[in-house]
Amino acid sequence: MAEATAMIQRRILSGHMKKGVTITDPGRVYIELDVKISRDTIIHPESYLMGTTSIGKNSVIGPGVSITNSKIGNNVEIRMSSLEEARVDDNCVVGPYSHLRSETHLKKGAKVGNFCEVKKAIVGEGSKINHLSYIVAATIGKNCNIGTGTIKLNSHRTRTLLK
């Protein structure tokens, strides 16, 4: 079983590399069959790309990244982080050590920094959640800066954090 998995992985990785994706250490990357990666993207070691994930061009993924069923735009950088059912638009930065959970949407140029967790939230264009924050069920407007240690949990009254 391990030999068959290794053979399939070599084929998948080779296919991406032939299409212009750089995989810096193919022996330390796992990519599932349905993952789509555009040319000129770099995948670093210990990256796991699974499900129906798609990654745009000129992005840098890893090291130490797990992405499942997510849509990643162009010119995105994701380091040492985990994404599940998230959407990350162009020119965003994620990590290190962040977790984007289901229904998270980072709009163009947004940043989620060190040790943050975001779920069911929209982070507006150019906005930043720099570090040590937990954001759930919120909408953050354009060009906002969320301070260190911010906690925003589910609220039945409003989903808007800042505009």
Side-chain angles (χ1 to χ4, degrees):
M1 183 71 123
E3 288 176 19
T5 299
M7 182 183 70
I8 291 168
Q9 274 301 292
R10 282 191 298 274
R11 287 182 185 167
I12 291 170
L13 298 175
S14 178
H16 286 294
M17 290 186 285
K18 286 178 183 175
K19 292 178 182 176
V21 175
T22 299
I23 300 174
T24 60
D25 188 349
R28 295 173 55 205
V29 169
Y30 177 82
I31 300 176
E32 290 184 348
L33 185 61
D34 291 332
V35 171
K36 299 196 178 0
I37 308 170
S38 297
R39 64 181 307 106
D40 298 323
T41 286
I42 300 170
I43 310 295
H44 288 292
E46 307 310 324
S47 293
Y48 299 85
L49 309 177
M50 298 166 285
T52 58
T53 293
S54 66
I55 300 171
K57 62 183 178 179
N58 298 315
S59 293
V60 178
I61 307 299
V65 168
S66 173
I67 303 175
T68 305
N69 298 326
S70 296
K71 181 173 173 46
I72 312 301
N74 300 319
N75 304 305
V76 171
E77 182 180 348
I78 302 172
R79 298 181 326 259
M80 296 179 182
S81 294
S82 178
L83 287 73
E84 303 158 11
E85 299 175 7
R87 179 175 162 194
V88 179
D89 290 348
D90 297 347
N91 305 312
C92 290
V93 176
V94 177
Y97 308 113
S98 288
H99 189 177
L100 304 186
R101 294 168 54 198
S102 64
E103 298 180 51
T104 294
H105 179 187
L106 303 186
K107 293 194 174 183
K108 185 177 181 181
K111 177 184 177 187
V112 174
N114 308 1
F115 302 101
C116 294
E117 185 168 355
V118 183
K119 179 181 180 186
K120 292 185 180 182
I122 298 170
V123 180
E125 189 173 320
S127 290
K128 299 174 186 170
I129 305 172
N130 284 315
H131 45 270
L132 301 167
S133 294
Y134 183 63
I135 308 294
V136 177
T139 298
I140 298 170
K142 186 175 180 180
N143 297 317
C144 294
N145 187 9
I146 304 303
T148 301
T150 298
I151 298 173
K152 167 61 175 96
L153 299 174
N154 302 347
S155 170
H156 65 281
R157 294 183 187 160
T158 181
R159 284 181 43 100
T160 303
L161 184 59
L162 297 171
K163 284 192 175 180

